[in-house]
Amino acid sequence: MNASSDQPTHRSPGLIEGTRVLFSRELALERQTFAWLGAAGLLAIQEIVIIGLGFRDEVLSDTRLALSMAAIWLAFLFAGVVGINRSLGQENRDGAFDALLLMPTPRASIYLAKVISGTIFLCGASLVLLLGAGLFLNLPVIKAMPLLLPVMVLSAGGYVAIGTLLGSAVMGVRGREALLSVTILPLVVPLFLMATGAGRDVVLIFHEQDMLAISGAETMSYSETLGTAFSDVAQELGLLLAVDSLYLGLGILLYEKVVER
Amino acid sequence: MNPVFAPRRELFFWVAAVLCVVGVVGTVWAMYYAYISIPPHMPHDSFFIMKPENAAGNNPMKLYHSYRIFFLHLPSAYATMFVSLTMGLSGILYLISKKRHWDSLISAATQVGIATCLLTMATGFFWGDFAWGIGWSGEPRLNAVLVLWLSYLALLALRHSIPDPNKRAQLTAIYAILTLPIYPFAKYAIEIYGEVNHPPNLRAIIGDENIINARSLAIPSLISLYAFFVVLRFWHLEMRRDMSRIRRAMQELGNS
């Protein structure tokens, strides 16, 4: 046995292992700082309360319902920007991000860990948002949850994928927070065009069934309503998935260039 | 540090000259043909004669000449597509080669893209207001084109916020690549959503041979004109970069 074989061998973690390790780090960071759920979740609830105040004298018509859903997506958008800004701002302030780049993991694993954790946290904030909307805006979101959740998860995935990429790009740039909002919004509008349409259609179908039940007319069963709503939004869900895959693919390819020092 | 653009000036002069001549002559010819020469002779079931219920008045003749605005609208939309492609491809080429002229090309294309996109939206708005009774109907394609325009403005905002030229070029290239999927989205928004006022394809609804000829002349001519503006702006940016290099070199020489 020669001398070199006695030395301990160090194997750099691969993409999946690196992502797993860094994902645990993101969870630990969130437990300590509440950067996402604290800021984004609270902001979401406050926005819902204010929207509820605006609609307090309005009867629950189709127009009000569509407007409320648009307002929910606006709250989701703001919550996402605040969450991404806070979580990446924290890394930048402590200089932790430079240390992160020294880790012997592929750079894409940093990106993937941030995207997965950010999506989970934004979904958490969205859940708070939807429950708040059910409570304060009297929308049938609880019944529509099995379909609203996939729409939220897919929207959050694409949004965080592009947000993390741009957030890392503008890290350390003057006026970073305003710049992130300005640059991210045009890129996520295609995502939101599909998500707003799908969300509104799902809630409208459940609202129609509620109105029919109140008037004593014959209604569809819950599973039939779900099936009808799903067939209405299946195309949008597919497109959301396609846009998510595109943004995630671009993110993985470009992240190395974004964080290049 | 040597100027890098100066040796290629002659090539760019000829490229710019050809684009300028083709663009100006072709555009004047196309506009003459489209606005003066073609008689307003449209079949009665044409898209341009059809009168939607919400439009002002009931006289179909009111829409008679309005189709002529499309000889500006359509080439501007195609030019926006080329600008979008130029930006995305230049972004990819910059990331591969790190050559700064790709950055100048992205910047030049973005600035011209802001104008072409605005012209597309403005001409569409005027016609929609006249024909449909509503300028901005909020359809997915209109929103997508607006988003594309906003993304060009966002790219310029990003550029102006970063003082370090290397980082600026890097992030500009990345953002330009990210804006690339917006144009196909705008293009296929009608197919995705369906049932909108905006026609998916003008070729299918214009049957008149004169209009097809004018359209075939206007599109390449106006695109050449816009390409000339891109080359001119690119030239200006490259010369400015060379000048700042020369100024820096002279300062260094003076200091030593």
Side-chain angles (χ1 to χ4, degrees):
Chain A
M1 195 180 282
N2 59 27
S4 63
S5 64
D6 292 338
Q7 290 173 355
T9 53
H10 293 284
R11 190 177 56 86
S12 298
L15 182 72
I16 294 171
E17 203 182 334
T19 307
R20 190 187 57 76
V21 171
L22 290 168
F23 176 68
S24 324
R25 173 193 170 271
E26 294 292 330
L27 290 183
L29 206 65
E30 180 63 23
R31 267 202 302 274
Q32 280 177 9
T33 61
F34 276 98
W36 269 98
L37 292 177
L42 269 178
L43 182 74
I45 277 290
Q46 285 167 9
E47 282 167 336
I48 283 296
V49 170
I50 290 169
I51 294 162
L53 286 175
F55 284 135
R56 69 183 181 279
D57 296 330
E58 294 288 326
V59 184
L60 189 60
S61 61
D62 284 3
T63 314
R64 195 205 120 168
L65 204 129
L67 279 173
S68 303
M69 283 310 288
I72 289 173
W73 283 106
L74 206 60
F76 176 82
L77 199 72
F78 283 132
V81 166
V82 167
I84 292 166
N85 254 327
R86 272 207 69 187
S87 97
L88 289 170
Q90 188 115 359
E91 301 260 21
N92 190 35
R93 261 199 307 281
D94 302 343
F97 196 71
D98 287 328
L100 206 58
L101 293 179
L102 294 174
M103 279 188 67
T105 54
R107 296 266 163 94
S109 61
I110 302 174
Y111 173 73
L112 279 176
K114 286 198 174 295
V115 171
I116 295 168
S117 59
T119 305
I120 291 170
F121 300 143
L122 185 57
C123 285
S126 311
L127 205 60
V128 173
L129 187 70
L130 285 179
L131 294 175
L135 193 66
F136 297 115
L137 303 178
N138 294 321
L139 300 181
V141 286
I142 309 289
K143 286 182 192 164
M145 201 65 96
L147 281 175
L148 279 181
L149 264 185
V151 175
M152 283 279 183
V153 170
L154 289 173
S155 317
Y159 186 20
V160 175
I162 208 81
T164 305
L165 187 72
L166 285 175
S168 308
V170 298
M171 204 183 265
V173 171
R174 164 169 51 100
R176 175 181 60 84
E177 294 188 355
L179 198 61
L180 178 65
S181 312
V182 166
T183 52
I184 196 175
L185 293 183
L187 299 181
V188 294
V189 166
L191 208 69
F192 277 84
L193 269 176
M194 287 170 251
T196 47
R200 188 197 53 219
D201 290 350
V202 168
V203 174
L204 271 174
I205 286 171
F206 280 95
H207 174 64
E208 274 168 18
Q209 291 303 310
D210 284 354
M211 291 294 108
L212 285 174
I214 289 169
S215 65
E218 197 179 333
T219 57
M220 287 191 279
S221 69
Y222 181 66
S223 56
E224 279 174 342
T225 315
L226 264 184
T228 310
F230 179 75
S231 60
D232 271 17
V233 298
Q235 190 195 9
E236 273 97 344
L237 285 175
L239 286 168
L240 276 172
L241 195 63
V243 175
D244 279 8
S245 314
L246 178 74
Y247 281 168
L248 195 65
L250 278 174
I252 291 169
L253 282 174
L254 294 173
Y255 197 69
E256 175 90 40
K257 301 283 181 190
V258 163
V259 294
E260 208 171 69
R261 294 287 194 262
Chain B
M1 214 177 274
N2 291 323
V4 290
F5 183 66
R8 288 176 289 143
R9 250 188 314 187
E10 202 170 317
L11 170 75
F12 273 88
F13 173 79
W14 287 112
V15 171
V18 169
L19 285 173
C20 180
V21 170
V22 171
V24 172
V25 173
T27 303
V28 170
W29 187 13
M31 291 303 127
Y32 172 79
Y33 193 49
Y35 281 82
I36 296 163
S37 174
I38 305 179
H41 175 74
M42 302 282 282
H44 281 287
D45 57 348
S46 161
F47 174 73
F48 298 104
I49 299 292
M50 213 162 56
K51 191 77 178 167
E53 283 171 10
N54 58 351
N58 290 314
N59 181 7
M61 294 298 283
K62 277 196 169 183
L63 283 176
Y64 218 47
H65 291 274
S66 69
Y67 71 90
R68 296 180 200 272
I69 203 167
F70 285 89
F71 298 114
L72 273 176
H73 177 76
L74 212 56
S76 302
Y78 279 117
T80 307
M81 176 184 74
F82 282 116
V83 159
S84 189
L85 264 177
T86 307
M87 285 168 62
L89 292 179
S90 305
I92 293 168
L93 289 170
Y94 175 81
L95 290 182
I96 293 168
S97 67
K98 299 279 174 196
K99 289 190 172 152
R100 289 281 295 281
H101 55 253
W102 295 119
D103 176 52
S104 301
L105 189 55
I106 296 173
S107 179
T110 310
Q111 289 169 29
V112 173
I114 288 171
T116 58
C117 212
L118 192 63
L119 199 60
T120 308
M121 287 192 292
T123 48
F125 182 93
F126 292 143
W127 192 81
D129 189 41
F130 179 66
W132 298 331
I134 179 167
W136 194 265
S137 55
E139 289 167 11
R141 182 180 274 184
L142 307 188
N143 283 326
V145 174
L146 177 65
V147 165
L148 190 66
W149 186 67
L150 289 175
S151 73
Y152 294 160
L153 291 179
L155 189 139
L156 288 188
L158 182 70
R159 281 184 72 80
H160 286 290
S161 313
I162 306 167
D164 175 24
N166 289 327
K167 188 165 187 188
R168 181 171 59 218
Q170 180 93 348
L171 296 188
T172 301
I174 288 167
Y175 198 76
I177 295 170
L178 291 176
T179 60
L180 202 52
I182 302 179
Y183 189 86
F185 178 73
K187 173 93 180 125
Y188 294 106
I190 293 175
E191 279 82 354
I192 294 169
Y193 288 91
E195 302 228 353
V196 289
N197 282 335
H198 196 293
N201 183 1
L202 279 177
R203 196 182 300 163
I205 54 172
I206 300 174
D208 192 279
E209 198 183 325
N210 282 317
I211 295 176
I212 292 171
N213 290 342
R215 175 183 168 276
S216 309
L217 186 64
I219 290 173
S221 308
L222 268 152
I223 287 176
S224 299
L225 195 65
Y226 293 133
F228 166 67
F229 292 135
V230 172
V231 171
L232 208 64
R233 183 66 180 139
F234 170 77
W235 193 344
H236 175 234
L237 290 171
E238 285 291 288
M239 292 298 281
R240 203 164 66 177
R241 195 149 61 85
D242 271 2
M243 288 304 290
S244 68
R245 280 166 182 235
I246 292 167
R247 205 175 295 125
R248 255 200 323 270
M250 285 174 75
Q251 270 172 0
E252 279 169 20
L253 212 65
N255 290 341
S256 65

